[in-house]
């Protein structure tokens, strides 16, 4: 079964426990202290809560999701500012999205993919970013599920995957999640 079909079925079945109806609290905390500007990509955006939060902070945000139903539902919310939603696959970005973003903001995509796809994920993020762009990752280091998704990741693996492609500017364990 293709990933698109799996995630589409989850949305059609209303089986979306990751959708809490609000943006990610660690992202809210980050944006209270830091600014994100320019063109921003949010892969695996679901119904767009994080996208709308980032747009409220003044960025031009593109939410990308593999599920047509998720994208349709994202469009059903009131527009906050400069946000858009695209149905597509991060691993097969359209040319217009290559080197197009100042930021990629990760919250739920990385933990949803199979662990063996993680190198491809890093490569896709690098492909989406403009030279000198930023990657903000909110990772699940100990998800509740014994088997994913979500698939947990340890800090050492994050460093191994991203360390030679990105310079770590800061890291923190969120107080709220």
């Amino acid at each position: 079964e293709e990933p698109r079909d799996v995630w589409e079925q989850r949305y059609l079945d209303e089986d979306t426990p990751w959708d809490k109806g609000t943006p990610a609290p660690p992202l809210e905390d980050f944006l209270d202290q830091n600014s994100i500007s320019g063109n921003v990509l949010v892969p695996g955006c679901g119904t767009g809560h994080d996208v709308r939060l980032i747009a409220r902070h003044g960025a031009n945000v593109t939410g990308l999701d593999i599920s047509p139903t998720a994208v349709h539902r994202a469009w059903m919310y009131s527009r906050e500012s400069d946000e858009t939603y695209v149905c597509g696959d991060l691993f097969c970005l359209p040319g217009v999205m290559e080197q197009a973003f100042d930021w990629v903001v990760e919250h739920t995509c990385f933990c949803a993919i199979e662990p063996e796809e993680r190198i491809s994920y890093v490569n896709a993020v690098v492909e989406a970013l403009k030279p000198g762009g930023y990657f903000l990752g909110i990772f699940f280091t100990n998800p509740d599920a014994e088997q994913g998704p979500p698939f947990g990741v340890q800090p050492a693996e994050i460093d191994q995957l991203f360390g030679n492609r990105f310079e770590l500017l800061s890291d923190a364990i969120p107080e709220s999640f």
Side-chain angles (χ1 to χ4, degrees), residues 18 28 39 73 102 120 124 139 147:
W18 58 87
E28 291 179 302
N39 294 321
R73 290 180 185 170
D102 300 291
S120 296
F139 295 104
Q147 62 185 35

Side-chain angles (χ1 to χ4, degrees), residues 17-149:
W18 58 87
D19 187 341
K20 307 296 186 203
T22 61
L27 180 59
E28 291 179 302
D29 294 345
F30 180 86
L31 290 172
D32 285 344
Q33 304 295 319
N34 305 275
S35 66
I36 291 179
S37 60
N39 294 321
V40 179
L41 176 65
V42 179
C45 70
T47 57
H49 304 297
D50 292 343
V51 171
R52 287 183 293 279
L53 173 66
I54 298 165
R56 271 197 301 275
H57 282 263
N60 174 12
V61 192
T62 299
L64 177 72
D65 204 280
I66 202 165
S67 163
T69 296
V71 170
H72 174 75
R73 290 180 185 170
W75 278 114
M76 300 303 287
Y77 285 86
S78 298
R79 303 266 322 260
E80 289 293 336
S81 183
D82 199 2
E83 75 262 21
T84 190
Y85 300 95
V86 175
C87 186
D89 185 343
L90 177 66
F91 299 122
C92 188
L93 287 175
V96 69
M97 289 184 153
E98 292 175 11
Q99 295 191 335
F101 298 97
D102 300 291
W103 288 80
V104 171
V105 176
E106 164 58 42
H107 171 219
T108 56
C109 187
F110 183 86
C111 70
I113 63 171
E114 297 290 331
E116 56 270 12
E117 295 179 305
R118 289 177 171 168
I119 292 288
S120 296
Y121 175 93
V122 173
N123 291 336
V125 166
V126 169
E127 184 177 305
L129 284 169
K130 294 177 182 176
Y134 294 94
F135 174 72
L136 171 63
I138 300 170
F139 295 104
F140 292 88
T141 55
N142 63 347
D144 297 334
E146 285 188 24
Q147 62 185 35

